[in-house]
Amino acid sequence: MLHFRFNISRIWLIVKAPSFTSPLVPRFLVSAASLVTNRFVNSIATLASLTFSYAAIADIDVYPPNWWVGMEKPTVELMLHGDGVANYSASINATDVTVVDSKRLDSENYLFVTLNTDSAEAGRVVISLIAPDGSSHDIDYALNARRQHSQSRVGFGPKDAIYLIAPDRFANGDESNDSVDGYKDRLNRDNKGGRHGGDIQGIIDNLDYIADMGFTQIWSMPLLENAMDSYSYHGYSTTDYYKIDPRYGSNSQYQKLSEKASEHGVGLIMDMVLNHIGSGHAWVQDKPSKDWLNNQGVFVGTTHKRESLHDPHAIQSDIKAFSDGWFVPSMPDLNQRNPHLATYLIQNAIWWVEFANLSGIRVDTYSYSDKGFLSEWTTRLMQEYPNLNIVGEEWSVNPAITAYWQAGSHRHDDYVSALPSVMDFSLQHAVADGLTSKEGWDTGLTSIYETLATDFLYGEPNNLVIFADNHDMSRVYSQVDEDINRWDMAMTFYLTARGIPQVFYGTEILMSNPNTEDHGIIRSDFLGGWKSDTKNAFTGKGLSDDERWAQSRIKQLLSLRQNYPAVFEGSFKHYAPVDGVYAYARQANAKNPPSIQGDKDTNDTDEKKVNSKSPVILVILNKNEKASTVDMNKYNMVTNGKKNMTRLKDDKEFASSETVTLAPMSANVFIVK
């Protein structure tokens, strides 16, 4: 039960402060006006004698909104947000849950309450907030049971293929949420940087297409609320870490997407932003503490000099300028050195894994967050989910810098990282350069070969996420000058090389961005995602012959992962390019490889580790403008004496010892058995 007492001085402060944004302001003013009108019209002195109790809290937001019992770490820190809530103390009515800490920071509108759930059973508990005068406000809080085997969930891996979607540009499944009251950025499909209406329902409606193509994971650009005035569709300006943007759908609809995707054999990877928020976030106007945002909440641009984190000659000011700087004024940079903010972000990631049954996480602008926090964040996530996969975006073409962040990599310092995977930007750069530059002793395909030769830097190179393009760069078809043969070589490589392939939506139908680098064009609408579209990639209606061929080629290449998953979890061996021809092989690892101690030949040793009964996927790229002939005996070290091989594109049979003619500018895939 709430107890109300009024204080005229508090009402006067509210009236005099038009910038005050608490949702309680209208309630206070209405209450005061009612009292003045109905009871004290002739006696303002009587009104002045009334006082408010702290217990008159109308709305309290609780983050996380619920938790689970049986977690690896038994404590959870709740952030309570409400007008004046920091003036309260917290207690709990349960015998199996205790309040171990209650703390306020600089703002009176936040209270941090830590619960110990070590002995808790699933159910609901009541958290009582006690005002200084003894009155109280109760919060009903749920501690849920976890899904069976939640902790042992297996994340995405090398046997998978990821489909990257810009949700606003993929498919409009629910026109009723194209524009939503209270959100200024409304539907404007004619604006390349505007909202186009794609949503979660559009993804759900087309899960058949995604699965039929052969994709086994979906990575969607962020779906959380971005309550910004404009250019909000990309999703990287979070304004509520626990709420799906209503223009995409709802939290329950996101759960439904995960469930329906799982029924199709497809996992869900969530794109998380730890480094910054949108300027429309409540933390900007009312920071829990003065140090919640970097640079005292004032814009200072980042230098983007990620090298400073690794430079043995760097000075501290350069490191700080990189990590603490903001991307743009509309994206305030978070200070994860604040332990309460760090805990908030860690718990938020865990909450979404549990709530939406995620198979993985992609972390935006990974290295821009505080290094110590990233160690804590990854360690905590992997303690809770030892088999989950998390991939960090470290946009560097230097593999030494990229490898630094992956767990198990050799580092120049004692930094601890539990991050399983990183995005392989160095390989992406090498492939784009290798396929478009002239062949030479140190150019062309050699760029790809030399980049892969640095895999010794990585803790687990086969767990890197590899890609021809993504939402922040030119589409691969444009990168290779809209040459369909080069596109085929690129996509064949990415869908058969070591690592976990990610394909950007529309790559399968040759989407491009000629003569522009504008992200709004790069993220154009997928054909067939809107009722008015005359071409439809989901059904094939209106597609050109080249678009149809490209779509079937991606599907054909992805079928290899479905038919031979163990091969892609296994070894990768390549031959140095010679005269514009580059070859490599994939083969499953042996289940019980023999002891290799005492072996002197490293290559022979590695060959002993493969499964000799497994088929070999042999890929040969011919970048020459004319046909090339290849004696297949050259590759008998990786084909392990197998006699027959089938070419993927046409099912033509060959003997593994014969000479084969490779078409000009071609990607050739052979299944050797």
Side-chain angles (χ1 to χ4, degrees):
M1 179 177 180
L2 297 179
H3 304 279
F4 295 89
R5 293 163 58 197
F6 293 83
N7 185 310
I8 188 63
S9 63
R10 185 171 177 83
I11 297 173
W12 179 250
L13 285 173
I14 293 170
V15 173
K16 294 289 288 182
S19 64
F20 190 78
T21 58
S22 168
L24 296 184
V25 173
R27 291 182 175 87
F28 281 118
L29 294 177
V30 169
S31 298
S34 177
L35 287 172
V36 171
T37 302
N38 297 325
R39 298 178 59 189
F40 306 110
V41 166
N42 298 315
S43 181
I44 195 68
T46 304
L47 175 62
S49 69
L50 299 177
T51 60
F52 262 117
S53 163
Y54 285 109
I57 297 179
D59 298 298
I60 300 177
D61 295 318
V62 183
Y63 308 102
N66 68 276
W67 201 242
W68 290 267
V69 297
M71 303 297 285
E72 184 71 15
K73 186 175 181 179
T75 58
V76 56
E77 182 178 78
L78 309 183
M79 173 194 279
L80 310 185
H81 183 213
D83 186 53
V85 71
N87 297 306
Y88 293 74
S89 60
S91 64
I92 200 162
N93 70 338
T95 57
D96 55 353
V97 181
T98 58
V99 174
V100 296
D101 194 19
S102 181
K103 181 179 295 185
R104 66 172 293 170
L105 303 180
D106 296 318
S107 171
E108 70 169 359
N109 300 321
Y110 297 89
L111 183 67
F112 295 84
V113 178
T114 303
L115 305 181
N116 187 328
T117 66
D118 191 29
S119 303
E121 295 183 359
R124 309 189 75 86
V125 296
V126 175
I127 303 169
S128 296
L129 298 180
I130 313 301
D133 66 357
S135 57
S136 67
H137 179 90
D138 290 342
I139 298 172
D140 187 45
Y141 194 75
L143 293 172
N144 296 334
R146 302 177 73 182
R147 287 183 178 85
Q148 188 176 17
H149 308 305
S150 177
Q151 186 176 31
S152 58
R153 71 184 63 230
V154 177
F156 64 92
K159 68 180 185 302
D160 289 306
I162 302 169
Y163 196 52
L164 167 57
I165 293 173
D168 182 64
R169 307 301 172 87
F170 184 62
N172 189 349
D174 181 2
E175 294 181 352
S176 70
N177 62 13
D178 288 352
S179 295
V180 175
D181 290 344
Y183 291 83
K184 294 182 179 180
D185 202 7
R186 304 175 72 82
L187 182 72
N188 185 357
R189 202 177 172 197
D190 293 330
N191 178 6
K192 61 187 176 182
R195 289 255 173 191
H196 290 193
D199 47 34
I200 293 173
Q201 189 60 50
I203 301 175
I204 294 173
D205 291 345
N206 293 291
L207 284 170
D208 283 339
Y209 169 81
I210 294 170
D212 186 59
M213 282 295 298
F215 295 104
T216 54
Q217 300 285 335
I218 292 172
W219 156 27
S220 165
M221 289 167 62
L223 290 160
L224 296 182
E225 183 192 76
N226 272 231
M228 305 290 285
D229 291 349
S230 62
Y231 204 70
S232 66
Y233 80 92
H234 58 70
Y236 291 99
S237 299
T238 309
T239 55
D240 190 328
Y241 274 98
Y242 284 96
K243 180 182 180 183
I244 294 294
D245 194 297
R247 289 161 292 188
Y248 289 137
S250 63
N251 284 20
S252 60
Q253 201 168 25
Y254 188 61
Q255 279 185 317
K256 180 181 177 182
L257 169 61
S258 179
E259 293 166 1
K260 293 296 184 182
S262 181
E263 292 173 6
H264 285 76
V266 176
L268 188 61
I269 301 168
M270 190 173 196
D271 199 337
M272 296 188 177
V273 187
L274 306 177
N275 178 65
H276 53 264
I277 54 175
S279 57
H281 198 291
W283 289 341
V284 176
Q285 297 300 319
D286 185 12
K287 297 186 289 293
S289 64
K290 295 176 182 177
D291 66 347
W292 204 256
L293 303 177
N294 280 322
N295 296 305
Q296 293 77 50
V298 177
F299 172 73
V300 177
T302 177
T303 63
H304 297 290
K305 298 292 186 184
R306 54 183 37 81
E307 293 80 7
S308 63
L309 296 179
H310 315 278
D311 181 3
H313 316 294
I315 58 174
Q316 187 61 35
S317 59
D318 281 347
I319 297 173
K320 183 177 176 63
F322 166 70
S323 295
D324 290 7
W326 299 20
F327 269 74
V328 291
S330 61
M331 291 182 175
D333 206 68
L334 295 172
N335 173 25
Q336 302 91 4
R337 292 180 295 272
N338 182 296
H340 301 284
L341 174 56
T343 297
Y344 182 99
L345 295 172
I346 290 169
Q347 292 178 168
N348 177 257
I350 294 171
W351 190 88
W352 280 109
V353 173
E354 290 287 334
F355 178 81
N357 199 26
L358 301 179
S359 66
I361 298 170
R362 182 263 184 183
V363 183
D364 181 63
T365 58
Y366 186 79
S367 65
Y368 286 80
S369 295
D370 178 71
K371 277 183 69 176
F373 161 75
L374 291 172
S375 178
E376 181 184 4
W377 188 89
T378 56
T379 298
R380 178 72 182 91
L381 265 291
M382 297 313 295
Q383 285 175 342
E384 197 62 63
Y385 310 102
N387 302 311
L388 185 72
N389 209 351
I390 305 171
V391 57
E393 179 200 28
E394 172 55 300
W395 196 326
S396 174
V397 299
N398 183 342
I401 289 178
T402 306
Y404 179 89
W405 300 104
Q406 190 184 29
S409 296
H410 299 289
R411 278 179 279 276
H412 61 81
D413 57 18
D414 58 358
Y415 181 73
V416 175
S417 175
L419 181 70
S421 179
V422 285
M423 308 293 296
D424 195 347
F425 280 91
S426 58
L427 185 60
Q428 186 279 327
H429 176 78
V431 174
D433 180 68
L435 293 178
T436 55
S437 63
K438 185 177 180 180
E439 283 298 303
W441 71 272
D442 63 345
T443 57
L445 295 175
T446 297
S447 299
I448 304 173
Y449 169 79
E450 290 180 344
T451 299
L452 289 167
T454 65
D455 275 358
F456 63 87
L457 294 168
Y458 294 101
E460 180 45 74
N462 203 32
N463 201 42
L464 303 178
V465 173
I466 61 175
F467 53 98
D469 57 12
N470 66 19
H471 55 299
D472 288 327
M473 61 174 63
S474 281
R475 287 185 170 271
V476 61
Y477 194 48
S478 293
Q479 291 177 32
V480 296
D481 303 322
E482 298 192 8
D483 183 317
I484 198 165
N485 291 322
R486 294 182 193 274
W487 175 93
D488 183 32
M489 283 192 280
M491 298 313 300
T492 298
F493 174 81
Y494 283 112
L495 295 180
T496 57
R498 66 98 174 107
I500 308 165
Q502 165 249 293
V503 177
F504 192 27
Y505 80 101
T507 293
E508 74 271 29
I509 54 169
L510 304 177
M511 283 177 64
S512 61
N513 54 292
N515 305 314
T516 181
E517 293 291 324
D518 190 284
H519 286 181
I521 302 300
I522 291 170
R523 306 163 187 165
S524 293
D525 296 345
F526 190 70
L527 301 179
W530 281 254
K531 292 178 181 178
S532 59
D533 291 355
T534 57
K535 296 176 69 173
N536 191 322
F538 299 118
T539 65
K541 177 185 175 183
L543 296 185
S544 69
D545 289 343
D546 281 350
E547 290 168 339
R548 287 177 183 273
W549 177 85
Q551 194 177 50
S552 66
R553 178 60 169 171
I554 294 294
K555 185 174 181 179
Q556 183 182 60
L557 290 166
L558 287 174
S559 71
L560 292 171
R561 266 184 161 74
Q562 296 179 323
N563 294 330
Y564 310 107
V567 167
F568 293 95
E569 293 179 306
S571 70
F572 174 90
K573 286 290 180 183
H574 63 171
Y575 289 78
V578 177
D579 297 330
V581 175
Y582 175 49
Y584 57 88
R586 304 300 310 274
Q587 187 170 6
N589 291 330
K591 293 183 178 180
N592 296 298
S595 172
I596 61 174
Q597 291 185 357
D599 287 338
K600 295 181 180 180
D601 191 318
T602 302
N603 289 327
D604 289 345
T605 294
D606 288 342
E607 252 58 72
K608 290 180 181 179
K609 293 182 182 179
V610 301
N611 185 343
S612 61
K613 296 181 180 180
S614 168
V616 174
I617 305 296
L618 178 65
V619 182
I620 309 177
L621 305 180
N622 177 28
K623 198 183 152 199
N624 295 298
E625 298 288 346
K626 60 182 180 180
S628 298
T629 57
V630 176
D631 181 356
M632 301 305 286
N633 283 312
K634 177 179 179 179
Y635 307 117
N636 60 15
M637 286 293 293
V638 294
T639 56
N640 290 321
K642 292 176 172 58
K643 303 297 184 182
N644 303 304
M645 59 186 188
T646 303
R647 188 162 58 192
L648 179 67
K649 70 177 181 181
D650 55 9
D651 290 330
K652 185 175 180 180
E653 299 286 341
F654 298 88
S656 60
S657 59
E658 68 179 275
T659 297
V660 176
T661 299
L662 308 177
M665 298 295 293
S666 63
N668 306 271
V669 180
F670 300 94
I671 303 166
V672 189
K673 297 183 179 179

